[in-house]
Every structure is written in structure tokens, then in C-alpha cells.
Amino acid sequence: PGCADVMSDGGLINYIMATNCLLEDARAVAWVAMVIWFLLLVWLLGDTADRHFCPSLDVIVRALRVNANLAGVTFLSLGNGAPDVFSAVAAFASGQGEVGISALLGASVFIPTVVVGAVALVSDARTDRRPFLRDVIFQLITTAYLFAVYADNRVTLAEALGFVGLYIVFVLTVVIGRSVYQSRKRQRLLAEAARAKT
């Protein structure tokens, strides 16, 4: 696009104008500056979550005496997904539905690949196989459902409620799965204790 076309972008920073007009003769500098800016924004987001969001979530979980699994699929998911919800709503409201869908799909791919990969590289944290497979299966089901809904370029009320239903099924699966797992673990420990006595 020409410089006159991108002068009034409406955003806080007009990235297209910065790269195509202001730094037109120094594209390499523009790209390096954009990559540095992106890394700074990612670091600021992580630092803000580490200093404010995670401690607040910890206080809520302790006050309500909620287990970590349930907190992860409710409070943490809602807090983490709120920006995605608002940006998707804004994209659809402005007639840019493709941008909203692309942002949601991008986030749903970025988190389990880049974020999980980065955490695996910098920490010695281990994950349980059962919850990990459960989350991956629900991710695949939800993504397939999104493609099926979006195939006709319109979303009906029933299809929208289907997404809410999928989320409710996911939360119930986490809660019921944890209670079944804890019950079996308790029974196994009692059986081992009974065998040790005899």
C-alpha cells in the first residue's frame, strides 16, 4: 500500500507506515526493530503475568480452596483467554472476521507449541501423561469443530452454543477425571497398606 493509504491506521502504532514509509530505504533496520519490539512486548506480557496475574490467581485459589486442575481450566483459562475474546469480538464487529479467526487459531497453535516448548527447554518440569493427552484431544476436537462451523462462513446460535457446550464438557471431564483418579489412588494406597499389615 502507498503511504497515503496507511497514514490513518487508527492504532497506537502504525507498523505498516513505519516499515513502508518512514524506514523505506532501510528495510533491514525496520525488520530488526520490529523483531526487537515484538520480543520486548512478549517479555513485558510475561513479566506482567508473573508479577500480577499469577499471584492474584494463587490468592483466589487458596481463598476458594480450589484444586490446581480446576483453577487451570477456569480462572487461568478465562484470564489468559480474555484478551483473545476481546480482540476476536473487535475483529468481527469491524467486519474483519478472518483476522479474528486467524488470531484465535494462531494463539491455539502458539501456546502448545512455542510456549510449551520454551518451558520444556528452560525448566525440568514434568507433565502427567493423562492430563496432557486429555488437553490435546480436546484441542483437536475444538479446532475441528471450528473448521466445521466456519466452513459455511456464518455462525448460527446453535453452533456458538456448541462452543460453550464443548467448554463445559471439558471442565466436567477435568473435574470428574480428577475425582476418579484420586479415588483410585486412595483405593490403591489402602490396598497397599492392607497388604503391608498382613
Side-chain angles (χ1 to χ4, degrees):
C3 290
D5 298 332
V6 296
M7 287 302 281
S8 59
D9 186 30
L12 185 62
I13 299 174
N14 192 332
Y15 297 104
I16 296 174
M17 187 185 77
T19 55
N20 290 347
C21 301
L22 299 179
L23 298 172
E24 185 177 8
D25 296 331
R27 287 285 170 98
V29 173
W31 280 103
V32 170
M34 292 299 164
V35 168
I36 291 171
W37 180 243
F38 170 74
L39 294 174
L40 176 67
L41 290 176
V42 169
W43 178 80
L44 286 172
L45 184 64
D47 187 59
T48 302
D50 188 45
R51 290 176 187 255
H52 302 288
F53 182 64
C54 293
S56 300
L57 182 64
D58 189 45
V59 169
I60 291 170
V61 167
R62 288 174 194 254
L64 297 178
R65 295 181 181 166
V66 178
N67 68 53
N69 278 338
L70 185 58
V73 299
T74 53
F75 300 119
L76 181 63
S77 295
L78 293 172
N80 187 38
D84 294 329
V85 170
F86 292 123
S87 63
V89 168
F92 277 98
S94 65
Q96 303 277 327
E98 294 82 9
V99 174
I101 293 294
S102 298
L104 293 174
L105 285 175
S108 73
V109 171
F110 183 81
I111 291 171
T113 55
V114 176
V115 174
V116 172
V119 169
L121 286 174
V122 300
S123 73
D124 58 352
R126 296 182 150 274
T127 184
D128 293 332
R129 186 181 316 153
R130 184 183 53 83
F132 182 74
L133 286 175
R134 175 202 64 211
D135 294 347
V136 168
I137 288 168
F138 268 95
Q139 171 78 23
L140 292 173
I141 290 170
T142 306
T143 304
Y145 182 67
L146 175 66
F147 281 120
V149 166
Y150 201 65
D152 61 355
N153 285 332
R154 64 185 192 86
V155 181
T156 65
L157 179 62
E159 291 169 338
L161 291 174
F163 283 110
V164 176
L166 273 172
Y167 177 69
I168 291 170
V169 169
F170 176 61
V171 172
L172 289 175
T173 303
V174 169
V175 171
I176 293 169
R178 177 162 176 79
S179 64
V180 168
Y181 175 75
Q182 293 293 340
S183 174
R184 287 184 179 173
K185 185 177 177 182
R186 212 174 303 115
Q187 289 173 356
R188 190 173 63 243
L189 290 174
L190 288 172
E192 287 173 4
R195 275 198 303 269
K197 286 182 181 178
T198 56

